[in-house]
Amino acid sequence: MKTKTNSVIYYLYFASQKPVAAGIVEDISTSTANCKAYDMATNSHIEWTDATWNPVTGCTKISPGCKHCYAERLAKRLEAMGQANYRNGFKVTLQPQMLGLPLRWKSPKRIFVNSMSDLFHEDVSTDYINRVFEVMGRANWHQYQVLTKRSERVLELSKELKWAPQIWMGVSVESEKYAYRIDDLRKTAAHVKFLSLEPLLGPLRKLNLRGIDWAIVGGESGPSARPIDLEWVTDIRDQCLKATVPFFFKQWGGVQKKKTGRILEGRTWDEMPVRGELAVV
């Protein structure tokens, strides 16, 4: 007998085979069991974090790295399933019922903030951004990894935000054309500043890594994934080594990222910021 619950379970089985979606799938399965979307616990399969937290969902594309956005594909599937948080598909939507989630997670986690959106999108008010920062300040036993392509807005708001040490701020840079985002990040008051060089779409020569605490590199994955070049990756790795910036190689990517893996020159690279130890509570 086909029911809404059976349809969800059917979807979960197949979606769970896709690592990109795994964290959100756990959201769905937990909320389905509890019948409380706001009580979802999200254990992430993203290599550099423990959990995801989405007080905002939805986004708009602003640069070539957005072309094959995994969050957009997933949001549309969740909308089709009738998930309340994705009732607007990939349109920017505030999720205030999700704000308190980190306060309910008692064990320390590294939390990727807005894996399904961009906190600094122009449709997210300054007041709401401050509410998110307030929660991150209160639930101070976690570490928060905030990532944006809208570096200009982060810089604009930096003096208004309460930058607690556990709030890491990062920018996405997919090619040299967008390296200015690193300069904007460097000027903010964030205690830990990091780069997500993913999906890497070209070489990033002569990176200015002054004041940068961490660099993540990865190739694009999923349908129509664009290729990555070994030389681009090793060049960034070597720049990080020279500047003593921790280097994390996430994946080669491709249509089947499990097959391509994440081995670079015979080993994995899982370096984290020196200030990256989680609190013990």
Side-chain angles (χ1 to χ4, degrees), residues 164-180:
Q166 67 271 16
I167 301 173
W168 303 5
M169 188 68 232
V171 293
S172 295
V173 177
E174 63 264 47
S175 66
E176 289 179 337
K177 181 177 179 180
Y178 300 96
Y180 70 86

Side-chain angles (χ1 to χ4, degrees), residues 61-128:
K61 299 179 181 182
I62 62 167
S63 65
C66 303
K67 184 176 182 180
H68 301 138
C69 179
Y70 77 87
E72 181 181 32
R73 295 196 307 270
L74 185 53
K76 289 179 178 178
R77 293 174 190 165
L78 295 172
E79 179 187 21
M81 287 171 55
Q83 274 300 116
N85 284 15
Y86 296 89
R87 61 195 178 278
N88 296 325
F90 204 53
K91 182 180 178 182
V92 176
T93 304
L94 306 186
Q95 307 288 353
Q97 76 280 6
M98 302 298 291
L99 282 171
L101 186 57
L103 293 164
R104 294 195 289 275
W105 285 337
K106 300 306 180 185
S107 298
K109 301 176 185 290
R110 289 194 181 96
I111 301 173
F112 179 16
V113 181
N114 281 339
S115 63
M116 296 292 288
S117 184
D118 187 330
L119 183 61
F120 291 91
H121 193 282
E122 57 271 20
D123 290 342
V124 181
S125 70
T126 303
D127 176 67
Y128 194 80

Side-chain angles (χ1 to χ4, degrees), residues 208-221:
N208 182 350
L209 295 171
R210 179 177 54 83
I212 300 302
D213 299 290
W214 189 31
I216 304 164
V217 173
E220 187 169 51
S221 61

Side-chain angles (χ1 to χ4, degrees), residues 14 23 35 76 79 108 118 129 138 155 193 242 245 260 273:
F14 288 98
C35 298
K76 289 179 178 178
E79 179 187 21
D118 187 330
I129 293 172
R138 287 173 60 198
L155 180 57
K193 303 177 178 72
K242 185 175 180 180
V245 171
T260 56

Side-chain angles (χ1 to χ4, degrees), residues 160-206:
E160 299 180 39
L161 300 172
K162 295 180 180 178
W163 292 102
Q166 67 271 16
I167 301 173
W168 303 5
M169 188 68 232
V171 293
S172 295
V173 177
E174 63 264 47
S175 66
E176 289 179 337
K177 181 177 179 180
Y178 300 96
Y180 70 86
R181 294 171 182 163
I182 304 173
D183 297 324
D184 289 342
L185 174 66
R186 196 177 358 258
K187 295 172 188 174
T188 70
H191 294 265
V192 177
K193 303 177 178 72
F194 72 97
L195 309 180
S196 175
L197 311 176
E198 181 189 11
L200 188 62
L201 301 178
L204 290 171
R205 309 176 189 90
K206 298 181 180 178

